[in-house]
Structure formats: structure tokens, C-alpha cells
């Protein structure tokens, strides 16, 4: 089953599988790919926002980004067994 | 040497230290801070290389990609592609990358290399990389990329020598390495071959973030930080302020007794010394505020605060990305409104621009401080809090709450369901350098004093003329100032402002206050000093208004200043950033309506209660 980054538990290592476009030529998805959300990249949720767990802080590569759940939902991941 | 100057542009990801390099190379003092999106405009500077070559260096906004998603990134793209009006295509690109963040930054380096312009790669922050045990094989990277690679440390005086030498030499040949379609795969390959990275993050960042980003702990920390700032601005500055105040009073008294009672004395004492001096008193407070802002900006904490507040701000029709522009507006709305360029979504950007003037800018501080000092007793509440500090804090909160409310109304009006993105980078924490902070404060102080000596003094003197002339004829009944231009204008305006409790002196002060908010204070000082009759020599403004105004009037004026669009520069920058007079009219209109309405309510309630 596909899992998306928005549901990843805090501080669990996962691997990015792909970023899905929610619309044709999705600019947010394109930007996520530019920032390093590409297949095979290790990713981790470092923190969740105080209200409704939104936004998330995500470690990708050597960088931390704050992403909203809707953005994180585009990132499909695999959790290492 | 060669007459034509070399056009060189600094490009790179946000927050990699381009502006720090620019400042180091050109001796400029452009703003450097630890978050993505500090530079939002191109800035040119000049330098001469050791061999005498003249270079025109361009600092550009940071960009994650040449596929721009915000106005600031579009500037960088246009300059690189030679599409920017008034800017020739650069002869040489200095692509800057943060040595501690190569997984992200090298991708952009590859994108820039594909432009086919001569380029140098500057690996910046080598000091931080060394501290974290990151090893980079420079020669190997250079060979693999096919472009010259130099190490730089922009924060050290001797950290840019190698870069300067490279700029000085022959233009490097274009890279002969082909750029593959999958840039990320190429970056991984480069890193695997040339970089040793002991740890993906700085251990210290992880430890701090555990607290700073914690859902409860983080919010608690944020509130404490904000609250401390306001307490400090009020209580720590007091002794310094009293000192300046005493100095001015002493000088005024000395001048008054040393000079004959004539017009010149009145101009010097009432117009210049008491008028402009009444604003200088607030220098310590403004510097304290800037001290906190500078330290926060350099620490890397601000994007974390934006993360914590994002949800709250969405609820109000803004975005976490509005946080830094709005926080900058506490210093001054003009850079704050410009910083809104980093917001990708045009509607979020507009909302941010429209509410930025509601943030309490430092020019409002003198007005608040004067009125609070005169009308709020100096008392300790709950053992630790200074009551005056609490009221000041409440005023800042009032500005913030009303900004959120206005943004919320705008959100309802536009009823927009489209998705907005956040995508905010959280930088490494950094300890601010004491010298940088001191230089920053020195600059602030000189800007402020120049304002006092320039526009504030000019307007104050102008107002002195208006309130002194024409001189009342023999036998005129009433105070001389009633006969003057200022007196007549004030009396005419009073009809409009009497419902919100303003007397004619306040009305006069509102007009020059349009050019610079602080002038309202100096104008009041001048008007009261001029209207003082012979023997009751006018002293300082504060005790004067404390004795003459009702509490309701003072509160109403404070509330007026929370909202009123009393600043021409702000309106001008809104026009420039939005290219629309309609939006300027909208901003002016809603702010005036809010100001008048809120002051009216305040005045009525306060009058009824007293
Ligand atoms: N330790 C260290 N810090 C640096 C160095 N260069 C820059 N910095 C810091 O990095 C941060 C970002 O510097 P800026 O010069 O504002 O970065 P920029 O690339 O112009 O950023 P944008 O304008 O947002 O694109 C600041 O906190 C600087 O003090 C360096 O060589 N070493
Ligand atoms: Mg910059």
C-alpha cells in the first residue's frame, strides 16, 4: 500500500518513492522535486505543528523544510522494513 | 587598466551567503540575515580587483530553481537569462553554494551551469563545514563539474581572497561537461565522489529543534521571547531615556536664560531643541528593539516561529510565509512590504501587504511611549511586570490582532478555495557576531539621527513658523498661536476630529506626522512650547499633556495611531509593489475608517467611564 509523507510517524526513517501531481503541471509538485523530494531519497518527519499536526518539519537531504499536510500528501514514501 | 567593467552576478540558493560575500567584496552593508529570502531586489556594487580590473558586482535574490515561483526568484532568472530591462547579461556568474548544504545547492549549480555562461563556484561557509567535520575534495569537484571551485568564508575578512583572485584572472572557459537530464542523480554522484559528510544535520540544530519546534514547548518559548522583548524595550531603556531627557531640559533652560526673549530664541528652543529633542529621547528604545530584531534574524529562529504560527495565520487568511515580512514591519513597514515578495501566492502576498501597516513600526514607538509615559502610572503588576510595558505589549497585540482580523475579512470576501503552499526552509542556527550586531545598531542609530536632523527637524521648524506667524496684532484677544496659520488650520480641523476627542493641537500635529510618524511628537512639543505664555516657561512635553489632556483623549490618540495610515512612504511602497493605485486607495481607505471608528468607540467608552 502506498503511504504518503503526511502520515509518516515522527522520527521514522522512510524513502521517497515519487511526488504526485494533483493537477496537470502542478507547480507545487515541481518545486518539491527541485527541493530534493525524488525517488530513493531518505526522508524523516522531525516535528509537527501545534494545531492539527500541521505543518510538518521534514528532513530531506541535509535540509529541513516546513511543509503543509497538503504538500506532504503529494510525496509518496516507503518505510524501511 | 581596461576601461570596460566586468559584469559579475552572484547567484545561488537562498541563505547561502551571497549578500555576505557581496558586502565583503564591495564594502557595502546590504542586509544579511539567517533565513531564506533576505534579498528581494538586485543590488549593484563596484570593486577593483588586485590587478586593477573594474568589476560591477550584482547581488541577486536567492532562488531554488530558475523555474521561478515568486517575484524575487523571477528577478534572478531574468538577470541570468539576460531578460532584465536595464541589465546586460552578466559576463561571469559566481554561483554560491553553502558547503554544509550541498545536496540541495549543487542541483541549482548544475542548473546554472547549463545556462552556458562563464562561471565560478564559490563553496561558502567553509568554516561551518569544517566545524561539522564535512570534508570536500575541491579539486575533484572542480574536475567533475568542469568549472573553477573556490572555498570562501564570507564572514571573515580574509575569507574571499581566492574568489577575488579567480574573478581577477582570465574568464574561465565554459564547462565541457554535459549536463545530464537527471540533475539529482548527478548531485548524488558528485557528493558520493567528492564529499564526506559525517552527519546529515548539525547535532546542535537537532537538540535545539527538539524544544523550539515542540507543539507546546515551542509555542511557550515563542511567547516568552516576544514578551521579553516588549518588557525590555520599556524597562531597560528608561535610565538612558531619562539621561537624554535631562540633558535636553538642561540645554533648553540654559539657552533660555542666556538669550534675550526674541524670535530667534523661540525658534532655537521651542522649535529645534524641544521639538526635535522630544524624538531623540526615544533612541534607546528604538535601538533596543532593533537589537532584538537583529539577534533574532541572525539566529535562524524566525522561520521556526513562522512554522509554529502557520496554521494560525492560515486561519486568518495569511500564511506562515507572511510572518517574516510582518515581523520586519515592526521595524518599518517599507522593508516589510518589500519582503512580501518572497510569498509565492499572489493573494497571500496582497493580504500581507495590506495588513503590514498595522504592525507597530518603530516610528510609532515615540508616540506610544510619550502617551503611555504621560497617562499610564509606573507600577509593578503581579510582582514582576512593568505596567507601562504591559500596555505597550497590549498595543502591539492590538496591531497584530487587527491585522489578523482584516486578513480574515479579506479571505471571506475573496472566498478562495485554492491551495497555497508553505515550503519554508529552516536554516541552521547561528550565533550572531557581536561586531555585526553592533555595526547594525550603529547604522540604525545614524539613520534615526539623520531622520531627526533632516525631515523631523525641517518639519518641526516649519511647524514652528506656521504656529508663530502671522503674529497676532495688538489687542488680539486670546493666545497668539490662535492667530497663526497653524492655530487656524488646527481649529478648522477640530470640527472633524472633536468627535474622537482630539483637540486642535493634536490636529495640527497630525499633518506633518504624515511625512514621518515621529514628527507628531515633535510637533506637539513645538505647538505647546510656542503657546506657553510668558512666565510659565514651557518644559518638557510629557508632564504638560499629562496635565492638560483627558485620559479619553490620550487613549483615543493611541488607538488612532494603531490604525491610521499615517505614512506617505508606506503608501508609496504599496503602490510600487502592487503597481496599482486602487490598492493604495483601498489600504488608505480601510485604515482611515478603522482608525476613526476605533478612536470614536474608545473616546466614547473612556469618557463615559471617567
Ligand atoms: N559561518 C558562516 N556563516 C555565513 C557565511 N556566509 C554567510 N553566513 C551567514 O549565512 C546567513 C545568510 O547570509 P546572506 O548573505 O544573507 O545569504 P544570501 O545568500 O544573501 O540569502 P538570500 O538573500 O536570502 O538569498 C547569515 O546568517 C550569514 O551571517 C560563512 O562563510 N560562514
Ligand atoms: Mg542576500
Amino acid at each position: 500500500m502506498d503511504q504518503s509523507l503526511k502520515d509518516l510517524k515522527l522520527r521514522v526513517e522512510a524513502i521517497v518513492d515519487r511526488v504526485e501531481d494533483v493537477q496537470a503541471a502542478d507547480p507545487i509538485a515541481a518545486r518539491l522535486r527541485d527541493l530534493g523530494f525524488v525517488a530513493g531519497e531518505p526522508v524523516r518527519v522531525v516535528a509537527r505543528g501545534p494545531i492539527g499536526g500541521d505543518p510538518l518539519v521534514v528532513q530531506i537531504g541535509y535540509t529541513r523544510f516546513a511543509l503543509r499536510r497538503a504538500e506532504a500528501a503529494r510525496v509518496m514514501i516507503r518505510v524501511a522494513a | 587598466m581596461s576601461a570596460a567593467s566586468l559584469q559579475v552576478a552572484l547567484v545561488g540558493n537562498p541563505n547561502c551567503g551571497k549578500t555576505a560575500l557581496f558586502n565583503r567584496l564591495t564594502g557595502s552593508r546590504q542586509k544579511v540575515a539567517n533565513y531564506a529570502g533576505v534579498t528581494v531586489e538586485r543590488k549593484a556594487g563596484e570593486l577593483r580587483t588586485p590587478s586593477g580590473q573594474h568589476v560591477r558586482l550584482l547581488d541577486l535574490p536567492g532562488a531554488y530553481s530558475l523555474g521561478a515561483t515568486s517575484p524575487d526568484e523571477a528577478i534572478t532568472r531574468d538577470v541570468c537569462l539576460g531578460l532584465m530591462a536595464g541589465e546586460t547579461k552578466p559576463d561571469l556568474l559566481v554561483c554560491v553554494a553553502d558547503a554544509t548544504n550541498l545536496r540541495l545547492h549543487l542541483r541549482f549549480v548544475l542548473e546554472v551551469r547549463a545556462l552556458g555562461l562563464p562561471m565560478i563556484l564559490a563553496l561558502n561557509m567553509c568554516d561551518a563545514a569544517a566545524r561539522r567535520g564535512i570534508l570536500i575534495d575541491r579539486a575533484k569537484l572542480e574536475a567533475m563539474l568542469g568549472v573553477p571551485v573556490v572555498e570562501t568564508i564570507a564572514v571573515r575578512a580574509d575569507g574571499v581572497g581566492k574568489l577575488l583572485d579567480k574573478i581577477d584572472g582570465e574568464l574561465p572557459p565554459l564547462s565541457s561537461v554535459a549536463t545530464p537530464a537527471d540533475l539529482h542523480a548527478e548531485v548524488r554522484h558528485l557528493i558520493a565522489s567528492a564529499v564526506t559528510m559525517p552527519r546529515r544535520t548539525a547535532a546542535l540544530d537537532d537538540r535545539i529543534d527538539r524544544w523550539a519546534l515542540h507543539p507546546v514547548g515551542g509555542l511557550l518559548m515563542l511567547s516568552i521571547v516576544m514578551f521579553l522583548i516588549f518588557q525590555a524595550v520599556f524597562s531597560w531603556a528608561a535610565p538612558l531615556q531619562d539621561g537624554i531627557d535631562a540633558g535636553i531640559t538642561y540645554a533648553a533652560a540654559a539657552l533660555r536664560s542666556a538669550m534675550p526673549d526674541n524670535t530667534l530664541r523661540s525658534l532655537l528652543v521651542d522649535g529645534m531643541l524641544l521639538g526635535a529633542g522630544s524624538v531623540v529621547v526615544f533612541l534607546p528604545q528604538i535601538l533596543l528593539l532593533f537589537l532584538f530584531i537583529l539577534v533574532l534574524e541572525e539566529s535562524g529562529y524566525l522561520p521556526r516561529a513562522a512554522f509554529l504560527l502557520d496554521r494560525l495565520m492560515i486561519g486568518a487568511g495569511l500564511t506562515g510565509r507572511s510572518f517574516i515580512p510582518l515581523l520586519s514591519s515592526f521595524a518599518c513597514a517599507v522593508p516589510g512590504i518589500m519582503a512580501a515578495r518572497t510569498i509565492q501566492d499572489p493573494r497571500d502576498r496582497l493580504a500581507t501587504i495590506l495588513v503590514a501597516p498595522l504592525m507597530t513600526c518603530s516610528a510609532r514607538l515615540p508616540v506610544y511611549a510619550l502617551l503611555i509615559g504621560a497617562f499610564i502610572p509606573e507600577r509593578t503588576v503581579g510582582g514582576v511586570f512593568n505596567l507601562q510595558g504591559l500596555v505597550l505589549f497590549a498595543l502591539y497585540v492590538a496591531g497584530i490582532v487587527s491585522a489578523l482580523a482584516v486578513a480574515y475579512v479579506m479571505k471571506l470576501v475573496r472566498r478562495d478555495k485554492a491551495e497555497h503552499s508553505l515550503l519554508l526552509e529552516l536554516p541552521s542556527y547561528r550565533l550572531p557576531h557581536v561586531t555585526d550586531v553592533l555595526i547594525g545598531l550603529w547604522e540604525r542609530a545614524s539613520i534615526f539621527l539623520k531622520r531627526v536632523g533632516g525631515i523631523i527637524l525641517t518639519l518641526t521648524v516649519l511647524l514652528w513658523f506656521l504656529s508663530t506667524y502671522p503674529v497676532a496684532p495688538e489687542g488680539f484677544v486670546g493666545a497668539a498661536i490662535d492667530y497663526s496659520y497653524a492655530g487656524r488650520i488646527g481649529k478648522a480641523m477640530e470640527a472633524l476630529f472633536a468627535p474622537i476627542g482630539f483637540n486642535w493641537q493634536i490636529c495640527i500635529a497630525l499633518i506633518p506626522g504624515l511625512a514621518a510618524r515621529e514628527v507628531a511628537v515633535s510637533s506637539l512639543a513645538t505647538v505647546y512650547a510656542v503657546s506657553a505664555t510668558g512666565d510659565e516657561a514651557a518644559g518638557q512635553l510629557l508632564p504638560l499633556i499629562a496635565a492638560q489632556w483627558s485620559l479619553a483623549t490620550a487613549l483615543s490618540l493611541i488607538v488612532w495611531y494603531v490604525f491610521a495610515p499615517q505614512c506617505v512612504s508606506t503608501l508609496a511602497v504599496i503602490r510600487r509593489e502592487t503597481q496599482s493605485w486602487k490598492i493604495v486607495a483601498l489600504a488608505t481607505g480601510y485604515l482611515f475608517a478603522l482608525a476613526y471608528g476605533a478612536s470614536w468607540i474608545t473616546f466614547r467608552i473612556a469618557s463615559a467611564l471617567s
Side-chain angles (χ1 to χ4, degrees):
Chain A
M1 211 2 237
D2 269 358
Q3 193 189 344
S4 97
L5 180 59
K6 83 171 162 43
D7 303 317
L8 183 61
K9 287 208 183 64
L10 215 56
R11 286 188 269 277
V12 172
E13 286 294 334
I15 304 286
V16 176
D17 185 57
R18 63 186 184 280
V19 176
E20 287 185 338
D21 288 3
V22 297
Q23 65 195 61
D26 183 354
I28 296 176
R31 181 42 64 98
L32 284 169
R33 286 184 207 110
D34 285 346
L35 295 182
F37 292 88
V38 289
E41 221 36 61
V43 66
R44 202 150 55 97
V45 175
V46 179
R48 283 175 185 281
I51 307 171
D54 193 22
L56 323 169
V57 173
V58 171
Q59 172 87 37
I60 182 93
Y62 311 151
T63 323
R64 284 177 176 188
F65 287 101
L67 304 185
R68 297 212 180 114
R69 286 170 66 86
E71 288 144 41
R74 290 174 167 84
V75 181
M76 306 312 283
I77 52 162
R78 285 175 276 128
V79 179
Chain B
M1 280 285 302
S2 66
S5 65
L6 193 70
Q7 305 282 329
V8 180
L10 288 162
V11 295
N13 278 81
N15 210 36
C16 63
K18 298 175 293 301
T19 306
L21 280 174
F22 176 84
N23 287 344
R24 186 66 67 199
L25 288 167
T26 62
S28 326
R29 294 223 48 95
Q30 295 299 327
K31 178 169 171 175
V32 167
N34 191 11
Y35 56 84
V38 180
T39 310
V40 292
E41 262 192 326
R42 75 197 140 114
K43 281 270 154 52
E46 320 259 302
L47 71 124
R48 217 167 255 290
T49 62
S51 76
Q53 167 73 48
H54 185 260
V55 175
R56 181 171 177 272
L57 188 66
L58 209 55
D59 183 26
L60 293 173
Y64 287 111
S65 154
L66 291 171
T69 58
S70 55
D72 57 328
E73 284 189 329
I75 294 174
T76 300
R77 176 199 61 204
D78 290 348
V79 169
C80 288
L81 298 178
L83 298 173
M84 173 68 76
E87 202 64 67
T88 53
K89 203 168 176 172
D91 301 315
L92 172 68
L93 294 177
V94 173
C95 194
V96 186
D98 173 355
T100 65
N101 205 354
L102 289 177
R103 175 64 189 85
L104 178 66
H105 290 200
L106 279 179
R107 198 205 66 85
F108 188 63
V109 172
L110 294 175
E111 206 180 325
V112 169
R113 188 185 65 181
L115 289 172
L117 286 171
M119 83 176 234
I120 299 170
L121 172 60
L123 289 179
N124 193 34
M125 310 214 189
C126 282
D127 55 332
R131 263 201 306 278
R132 282 175 51 185
I134 300 169
L135 299 176
I136 300 171
D137 188 338
R138 190 199 61 82
K140 188 149 194 189
L141 201 58
E142 185 168 285
M144 292 177 77
L145 284 169
V147 301
V149 177
V150 291
E151 291 171 345
T152 57
I153 302 172
V155 291
R156 284 214 201 124
D158 57 355
V160 297
K162 290 181 203 143
L163 175 61
L164 200 57
D165 290 344
K166 272 283 183 300
I167 297 176
D168 205 8
E170 294 280 300
L171 275 186
L174 293 183
S175 170
S176 54
V177 182
T179 302
D182 187 347
L183 298 183
H184 284 292
E186 179 69 6
V187 170
R188 280 187 198 140
H189 177 53
L190 287 168
I191 289 181
S193 328
V195 181
T196 321
M197 190 94 180
R199 228 171 159 277
R200 288 207 284 157
T201 51
L204 181 66
D205 289 358
D206 291 347
R207 275 210 298 281
I208 301 180
D209 274 347
R210 223 162 249 258
W211 286 103
L213 302 180
H214 189 272
V216 181
L219 280 182
L220 199 70
M221 199 162 134
L222 180 63
S223 340
I224 293 175
V225 167
M226 291 310 207
F227 191 76
L228 268 183
I229 295 179
F230 297 110
Q231 277 291 310
V233 164
F234 233 88
S235 30
W236 299 1
L240 286 167
Q241 267 180 298
D242 293 345
I244 299 179
D245 207 32
I248 292 171
T249 314
Y250 177 80
L255 265 179
R256 223 187 271 281
S257 56
M259 293 174 72
D261 184 3
N262 58 15
T263 316
L264 181 65
R265 185 180 88 170
S266 170
L267 173 64
L268 278 181
V269 177
D270 301 338
M272 300 176 93
L273 199 60
L274 290 181
S278 61
V279 181
V280 176
V281 175
F282 299 103
L283 181 63
Q285 280 188 334
I286 287 173
L287 287 187
L288 257 182
L289 179 70
F290 273 100
L291 171 69
F292 283 105
I293 291 183
L294 286 174
V295 169
L296 276 181
E297 281 182 342
E298 184 61 22
S299 69
Y301 183 64
L302 294 185
R304 269 102 181 158
F307 155 77
L308 289 171
L309 295 177
D310 182 58
R311 200 42 199 271
L312 192 77
M313 299 185 81
I314 301 183
L318 291 163
T319 151
R321 280 188 168 267
S322 316
F323 177 75
I324 292 176
L326 292 180
L327 190 95
S328 317
S329 304
F330 283 125
C332 172
V334 172
I337 287 170
M338 287 183 60
R341 285 186 191 182
T342 56
I343 301 172
Q344 291 108 334
D345 188 277
R347 290 150 303 182
D348 285 344
R349 183 163 171 250
L350 181 62
T352 308
I353 290 176
L354 283 175
V355 301
L358 287 170
M359 297 293 120
T360 306
C361 65
S362 58
R364 260 177 267 204
L365 206 51
V367 183
Y368 287 171
L370 173 76
L371 295 172
I372 289 176
F375 288 93
I376 308 295
E378 173 111 54
R379 235 202 347 243
T380 308
V381 186
V384 282
F385 301 122
N386 172 325
L387 180 63
Q388 296 185 332
L390 276 179
V391 172
L392 184 70
F393 183 62
L395 288 174
Y396 275 81
V397 172
I400 296 167
V401 169
S402 44
L404 294 178
V406 169
Y408 183 71
V409 171
M410 276 190 286
K411 173 176 145 178
L412 291 186
V413 170
R414 73 186 182 203
R415 250 183 272 140
D416 122 56
K417 295 272 177 297
E419 184 189 348
H420 308 190
S421 68
L422 179 65
L423 289 178
L424 187 67
E425 183 177 342
L426 306 188
S428 238
Y429 288 102
R430 252 188 275 282
L431 215 54
H433 289 265
V434 178
T435 42
D436 288 343
V437 173
L438 287 181
I439 292 173
L441 284 181
W442 167 248
E443 274 180 348
R444 276 289 134 199
S446 60
I447 290 174
F448 178 76
L449 291 176
K450 272 188 205 133
R451 251 170 94 81
V452 172
I455 183 156
I456 295 178
L457 188 63
T458 313
L459 285 170
T460 311
V461 169
L462 192 74
L463 195 79
W464 174 85
F465 270 104
L466 288 179
S467 30
T468 310
Y469 296 99
V471 178
E474 209 64 48
F476 177 73
V477 215
I481 195 169
D482 293 350
Y483 194 80
S484 71
Y485 295 118
R488 293 184 219 175
I489 297 172
K491 295 264 154 88
M493 285 172 71
E494 205 178 2
L496 180 61
F497 287 100
I500 59 174
F502 291 4
N503 56 26
W504 62 268
Q505 289 97 330
I506 299 178
C507 293
I508 300 174
L510 290 181
I511 303 174
L514 282 173
R517 281 195 175 90
E518 308 94 317
V519 179
V521 171
S522 57
S523 303
L524 280 172
T526 300
V527 169
Y528 275 103
V530 171
S531 38
T533 45
D535 34 278
E536 57 161 80
Q540 291 296 61
L541 182 57
L542 195 143
L544 245 164
I545 62 171
Q548 296 195 7
W549 292 4
S550 71
L551 180 63
T553 292
L555 291 179
S556 169
L557 182 59
I558 290 182
V559 169
W560 173 264
Y561 261 86
V562 173
F563 299 107
Q566 283 260 41
C567 173
V568 178
S569 339
T570 304
L571 299 177
V573 78
I574 293 181
R575 155 79 191 133
R576 199 179 68 205
E577 293 295 301
T578 61
Q579 297 293 321
S580 155
W581 283 113
K582 235 167 72 187
I583 291 172
V584 177
L586 176 70
T588 318
Y590 101 78
L591 288 169
F592 259 128
L594 265 182
Y596 200 91
S599 291
W600 190 83
I601 294 172
T602 309
F603 184 64
R604 292 294 131 186
I605 293 179
S607 306
L609 290 183
S610 60

Coordinates of all heavy atoms in Angstrom, one line a residue, chain B residues 2-7 53-56 91:
Chain B
S2 N 41.8 48.1 -18.1 CA 40.7 48.0 -19.1 C 39.6 48.9 -18.7 O 39.2 49.0 -17.5 CB 40.3 46.6 -19.2 OG 39.6 46.2 -18.1
A3 N 39.1 49.6 -19.7 CA 38.1 50.6 -19.4 C 36.7 50.0 -19.1 O 36.0 50.3 -18.1 CB 37.9 51.6 -20.6
A4 N 36.4 49.0 -19.9 CA 35.1 48.3 -19.7 C 35.1 47.6 -18.4 O 36.1 46.9 -18.0 CB 34.8 47.4 -20.9
S5 N 34.0 47.7 -17.6 CA 34.0 46.9 -16.4 C 33.3 45.5 -16.6 O 32.5 45.4 -17.5 CB 33.2 47.7 -15.3 OG 31.9 47.8 -15.7
L6 N 33.8 44.6 -15.8 CA 33.3 43.2 -15.9 C 32.0 43.1 -15.2 O 31.9 43.6 -14.0 CB 34.4 42.3 -15.3 CG 34.3 40.8 -15.6 CD1 34.6 40.5 -17.0 CD2 35.2 40.1 -14.6
Q7 N 31.0 42.6 -15.8 CA 29.7 42.4 -15.2 C 29.7 41.0 -14.5 O 29.7 40.0 -15.2 CB 28.6 42.5 -16.2 CG 28.5 43.7 -17.0 CD 28.0 44.9 -16.3 OE1 27.1 44.7 -15.4 NE2 28.5 46.1 -16.6
Q53 N 41.4 45.5 -12.5 CA 40.2 45.4 -13.3 C 38.9 45.9 -12.5 O 38.8 45.6 -11.3 CB 40.0 43.9 -13.6 CG 38.6 43.5 -14.1 CD 38.4 43.9 -15.6 OE1 39.3 43.7 -16.4 NE2 37.3 44.6 -15.8
H54 N 38.1 46.7 -13.2 CA 37.0 47.2 -12.6 C 35.8 46.2 -12.7 O 35.5 45.8 -13.8 CB 36.6 48.6 -13.2 CG 35.4 49.3 -12.6 ND1 34.2 49.2 -13.1 CD2 35.4 50.0 -11.4 CE1 33.4 49.9 -12.3 NE2 34.1 50.3 -11.3
V55 N 35.1 45.9 -11.6 CA 34.1 44.9 -11.7 C 32.8 45.5 -11.2 O 32.8 46.2 -10.1 CB 34.4 43.7 -10.8 CG1 33.2 42.7 -10.7 CG2 35.6 43.0 -11.3
R56 N 31.7 45.3 -11.9 CA 30.4 45.7 -11.4 C 29.7 44.4 -10.9 O 29.4 43.5 -11.7 CB 29.5 46.4 -12.5 CG 28.2 46.8 -12.0 CD 27.5 47.6 -13.1 NE 26.1 48.0 -12.7 CZ 25.1 47.2 -12.9 NH1 25.2 46.1 -13.5 NH2 23.9 47.6 -12.5
D91 N 28.8 38.9 -17.6 CA 29.9 38.2 -18.2 C 30.4 37.0 -17.5 O 30.9 36.1 -18.0 CB 31.1 39.2 -18.2 CG 30.8 40.5 -19.0 OD1 30.2 40.4 -20.0 OD2 31.1 41.6 -18.4

